[in-house]
Amino acid sequence: QVQLVESGGGLVQAGGSLRLSCATSGRTSSTYAMGWFRQAPGKEREFVAATRGSGTITYYADSVKGRFTISRDNAKNTLYLQMNSLKPEDSAVYYCGTRKPYNNYAISSAYDYWGQGTQVTVSS
């Protein structure tokens, strides 16, 4: 059984930073592409960032490009999202997921396993 557990969310002022972690078990993380999505109240889950199995190729939503960095430590089976220069509009529940092979990295339906989410709140 694959399990994903996010952590690292919290309350931060605008301009601040947070680092999210996603610990995986039940699957060798290095063989699977993974990504981060977020969902604000009343909105659909939206793509934030993704990486392939090796972690050397990354993708970002335009809204976070230059501020967020996705990375992974395959030895620890952990995915990270470093978030800098946070804005109030970044407030949401952040989810990590594992992507099915040969699927579009920016579409939530391409992901087959998800964590429970971690809340990020950015105050103005």
Side-chain angles (χ1 to χ4, degrees):
Q1 181 70 17
V2 177
Q3 288 190 326
L4 306 175
V5 180
E6 301 98 333
S7 61
L11 174 64
V12 64
Q13 289 188 333
S17 299
L18 283 173
R19 188 194 196 200
L20 305 183
S21 298
C22 172
T24 65
S25 61
R27 170 178 281 179
T28 303
S29 65
S30 62
T31 63
Y32 289 88
M34 298 187 70
W36 289 97
F37 282 67
R38 66 187 181 188
Q39 189 166 16
K43 294 187 177 182
E44 293 187 354
R45 190 169 296 191
E46 67 171 359
F47 169 72
V48 175
T51 178
R52 294 190 182 180
S54 65
T56 57
I57 298 176
T58 57
Y59 310 93
Y60 296 94
D62 288 342
S63 59
V64 307
K65 201 172 294 183
R67 300 188 297 123
F68 291 11
T69 302
I70 188 171
S71 63
R72 62 196 300 165
D73 184 337
N74 288 334
K76 296 181 178 179
N77 289 335
T78 303
L79 180 74
Y80 302 100
L81 185 67
Q82 177 67 43
M83 305 186 296
N84 299 328
S85 303
L86 282 162
K87 305 175 181 179
E89 51 263 42
D90 293 319
S91 296
V93 177
Y94 282 70
Y95 299 90
C96 64
T98 57
R99 179 164 60 89
K100 295 175 282 188
Y102 313 113
N103 276 257
N104 188 323
Y105 60 83
I107 300 175
S108 61
S109 60
Y111 293 73
D112 51 359
Y113 292 97
W114 295 96
Q116 83 289 348
T118 185
Q119 176 71 49
V120 172
T121 304
V122 184
S123 62
S124 57

